[in-house]
Amino acid sequence: MVSYWKHYHTPETVEEAIAALRGYDGRARVIGGGTDLLVETRRGLRRPFEAIVDASRIAGLNTIERDPQHIVIGCGVTHTQIVNDPNIQRHGACLSESCGVIGGPQVRNAGTLAGNVAHALPAGDGSIGLLALAGEVEITSTAGRRWVAAKDTFVGPGKSVIDRHREVLTRLRFKPTGTGEGSAFHRVMRPQGLCLPIISMAARLTVDGDRIVAANVSMGPVGPVPWFAEPVAQALIGGPATDAQYEKAVDVALSNVTLRTSKYRATEEYRRTMVRTYLPIILATAAERAGAKR
Amino acid sequence: MSRLKMTVNGVAIDIDVPESRYLSEVLREDLRLTGTKIGCAEAECGICTVLVDGIAVVSCVFPAFKAQGARVETIEGLSNNGRLHALQQAFLDHGAVQCGICTPGLIMTAKGLLDTKNAAGEAVTENDIRTALKDSYCRCTGYQSVINAVLQASGEEVAPYIPETGTPGTAVGKPRPNPNACPMPGYFQSTPRLRSASTACTQC
Ligand SMILES: Cc1cc2nc3c(=O)[nH]c(=O)nc-3n(C[C@H](O)[C@H](O)[C@H](O)COP(=O)(O)OP(=O)(O)OC[C@H]3O[C@@H](n4cnc5c(N)ncnc54)[C@H](O)[C@@H]3O)c2cc1C
Ligand code: FES
Ligand code: FES
């Protein structure tokens, strides 16, 4: 049996996790469910690690909580927990929908949202869902804790500002959607399991009557990192919640993104068509959930 | 080497194994419980599914030490004194086992669903079964017999699906017209329309 790591730690507190990582001085790696990292390691895409620090069993970080302003998700929370949470279904629908399409049930039973965000793939579905909710992540290191906007953690494909050899993404949070707000997610993918989406998109809208007063849109893979689509949001804000307005948003989206042809997934043209087809549907769904008058 | 403690099928286990083991390796190699099969070894096919604290996970990428202190269930733990578990019996009744490599994974995944639903006092629907077994691959049965078997095990009465057969010695089934068939006389109805210009007849 090949060994892909030598030591395996399951710390029960954040302090223990950070101390273990410090002890290995960059030679250890944090995991959540391991469904991303350990599959890559097993495929020989990564060099074996000296040690694994498993962040999924830290006490207090296995639950979904509410603080006065946010829904807060611990790093040990699995996709299954998120999908089954009634609060997130109602107040963070796009996140619930995005975590619900990841892998199969067994992968969702172990894989975490923290791992999806920390992995920083350009089309990580959970990341796309969290981005549209303008989510934030808490990073804990020897220097202490800091909250960072999720969109600012992505540096490049698979590259994150989180030093996954020394720091732990401890919690994720977002402001729940309330009255006049709604969100939605959709992705297009070939049914191939271990493979990335052709296109994955989400939106959160705030409406006042038939007007869109606030918007967030996220898309991937449309560049090196999951895209927090500010120009698309700007194109929506102030306008009516109508198909014509959504078409404008699509035009803005398509003029801002770099869609690629990938050998086994899809052509650029196909991706373009999918954005044109699904972005208006996502926006209309979010608006409808927000209670927009048509 | 480190101590790994867990219960496997109700038996307390305490063994010395390398910390780099996957759960499937501990089960198959160290504990010789080879009922858990390996297909893809990359979390894709569901064949290696076991229950850890009642939750279905793919053991091929599940670090063994993640299951430290946990309650692990595998296919070997299902029958009781030679009496088959309702799921096992149902798989037999419905012919839901052909080559059998996927069966332990399918049964354990289904058990995870039935146990969770039972604990919550909820009924199991066909849709629940389809959702739970999504991404669990079987290349033989065509799935319907598997779904029927799980439905039966959940307490529903399901008649086994027996395919229609003809009188021995006669043709099986009825020929269906092929929508792509060449309409020209002289060509067999099953011949696909000729696409390339050099070989096409003038009418195609
Ligand atoms: C069959 C299959 C299908 C899949 N389908 C999809 C899909 O459709 N969409 C999709 O987006 N993904 C998919 N994935 C990928 C993966 O399951 C998800 O990205 C999952 O969310 C990863 O979570 P994890 O906890 O298992 O991550 P891990 O593998 O544990 O970690 C992923 C990365 O994040 C780091 N990390 C994890 N937790 C932390 C933490 N707390 N702090 C700091 N760094 C951390 C690790 O070092 C690693 O770099 C699939 C995987 C498989 C095997
Ligand atoms: S062998 Fe584990 S999922 Fe295929
Ligand atoms: S019975 Fe052969 S793969 Fe399922």
Side-chain angles (χ1 to χ4, degrees), chain A residues 74-86:
Chain A
C75 66
V77 171
T78 62
H79 295 302
T80 302
Q81 279 174 279
I82 291 175
V83 173
N84 291 341
D85 188 88

Side-chain angles (χ1 to χ4, degrees), chain A:
Chain A
M1 276 162 271
V2 190
S3 74
Y4 298 98
W5 61 85
K6 277 202 203 116
H7 305 288
Y8 198 90
H9 296 268
T10 34
E12 280 169 19
T13 65
V14 180
E15 292 70 30
E16 271 179 57
I18 298 296
L21 289 167
R22 193 177 47 211
Y24 287 102
D25 194 20
R27 286 168 295 123
R29 181 88 178 206
V30 185
I31 67 158
T35 60
D36 244 332
L37 192 72
L38 302 186
V39 171
E40 288 183 5
T41 317
R42 216 176 175 157
R43 282 182 162 186
L45 301 176
R46 288 174 182 279
R47 265 187 286 129
F49 305 100
E50 177 75 13
I52 295 285
V53 175
D54 183 336
S56 70
R57 287 176 148 218
I58 298 175
L61 294 182
N62 277 316
T63 49
I64 299 164
E65 313 274 348
R66 284 209 67 157
D67 73 11
Q69 288 182 43
H70 303 98
I71 291 180
V72 187
I73 302 169
C75 66
V77 171
T78 62
H79 295 302
T80 302
Q81 279 174 279
I82 291 175
V83 173
N84 291 341
D85 188 88
N87 236 333
I88 298 185
Q89 287 164 8
R90 207 164 321 128
H91 301 294
C94 65
L95 183 64
S96 188
E97 288 167 344
S98 66
C99 293
V101 298
I102 291 176
Q106 293 96 323
V107 167
R108 291 196 290 276
N109 280 346
T112 65
L113 179 61
N116 197 279
V117 174
H119 207 51
L121 289 180
D125 290 303
S127 305
I128 297 291
L130 187 69
L131 270 191
L133 295 169
E136 298 170 298
V137 302
E138 182 194 58
I139 305 169
T140 305
S141 67
T142 43
R145 294 162 188 236
R146 61 188 198 275
W147 281 99
V148 182
K151 70 177 166 60
D152 297 332
T153 63
F154 307 118
V155 181
K159 296 205 173 71
S160 169
V161 297
I162 305 162
D163 179 349
R164 293 156 297 196
H165 301 280
R166 296 168 201 274
E167 300 182 318
V168 181
L169 191 176
T170 33
R171 293 185 290 173
L172 311 102
R173 70 179 183 194
F174 64 91
K175 294 206 173 79
T177 53
T179 322
E181 296 178 302
S183 71
F185 165 93
H186 190 77
R187 80 158 182 203
V188 181
M189 183 162 145
R190 297 179 66 180
Q192 274 181 314
L194 234 187
C195 157
L196 283 161
I198 289 170
I199 193 87
S200 183
M201 297 177 285
R204 170 184 182 145
L205 298 182
T206 310
V207 299
D208 183 3
D210 70 342
R211 296 269 123 191
I212 300 169
V213 294
N216 292 331
V217 177
S218 56
M219 301 171 70
V222 295
V225 298
W227 188 40
F228 185 68
E230 264 155 313
V232 185
Q234 287 310 322
L236 288 161
I237 296 170
T242 57
D243 292 340
Q245 189 71 9
Y246 305 150
E247 289 306 324
K248 280 189 213 159
V250 169
D251 291 336
V252 173
L254 289 176
S255 62
N256 272 279
V257 297
T258 335
L259 296 169
R260 291 208 317 199
T261 293
S262 38
K263 199 166 166 196
Y264 298 110
R265 275 197 273 164
T267 59
E268 186 226 313
E269 193 191 352
Y270 185 73
R271 288 199 157 105
R272 202 163 268 280
T273 311
M274 290 301 106
V275 172
R276 213 162 254 304
T277 309
Y278 283 106
L279 189 53
I281 297 176
I282 293 166
L283 293 168
T285 310
E288 193 188 312
R289 289 175 180 168
K293 295 201 177 63
R294 295 210 77 173

Side-chain angles (χ1 to χ4, degrees), chain B residues 112-126:
Chain B
L113 170 71
L114 299 193
D115 289 357
T116 317
K117 286 284 178 181
N118 271 345
E122 291 170 15
V124 181
T125 65
E126 177 162 341

Side-chain angles (χ1 to χ4, degrees), chain B residues 37-48 58 60:
Chain B
K37 305 297 179 204
I38 299 296
C40 65
E42 49 183 48
E44 178 72 56
C45 70
I47 281 180
C48 63
V58 277
C60 66

Side-chain angles (χ1 to χ4, degrees), chain B residues 6-145:
Chain B
M6 52 192 189
T7 67
V8 177
N9 302 328
V11 180
I13 303 284
D14 182 352
I15 48 169
D16 227 6
V17 290
E19 288 177 33
S20 60
R21 285 274 203 276
Y22 284 106
L23 184 55
S24 59
E25 295 170 338
V26 167
L27 293 171
R28 289 178 51 85
E29 316 285 335
D30 299 306
L31 300 175
R32 296 278 160 195
L33 293 172
T34 52
T36 300
K37 305 297 179 204
I38 299 296
C40 65
E42 49 183 48
E44 178 72 56
C45 70
I47 281 180
C48 63
T49 302
V50 301
L51 302 183
V52 174
D53 288 332
I55 294 172
V57 299
V58 277
S59 62
C60 66
V61 295
F62 198 85
F65 280 79
K66 224 183 207 317
Q68 180 76 274
R71 184 168 51 86
V72 177
E73 292 169 72
T74 71
I75 190 76
E76 285 91 345
L78 255 60
S79 65
N80 190 353
N81 282 329
R83 273 201 41 224
L84 294 182
H85 185 276
L87 275 165
Q88 292 172 309
Q89 188 59 52
F91 269 61
L92 283 182
D93 295 346
H94 287 267
V97 182
Q98 286 185 30
C99 81
I101 190 159
C102 68
T103 312
L106 286 174
I107 290 189
M108 295 318 289
T109 310
K111 182 168 192 289
L113 170 71
L114 299 193
D115 289 357
T116 317
K117 286 284 178 181
N118 271 345
E122 291 170 15
V124 181
T125 65
E126 177 162 341
N127 194 39
D128 292 335
I129 298 170
R130 286 180 181 274
T131 308
L133 295 182
K134 184 167 177 294
D135 289 15
S136 287
Y137 294 1
C138 171
R139 296 285 89 150
C140 303
T141 65
Y143 301 105
Q144 190 55 52
S145 56

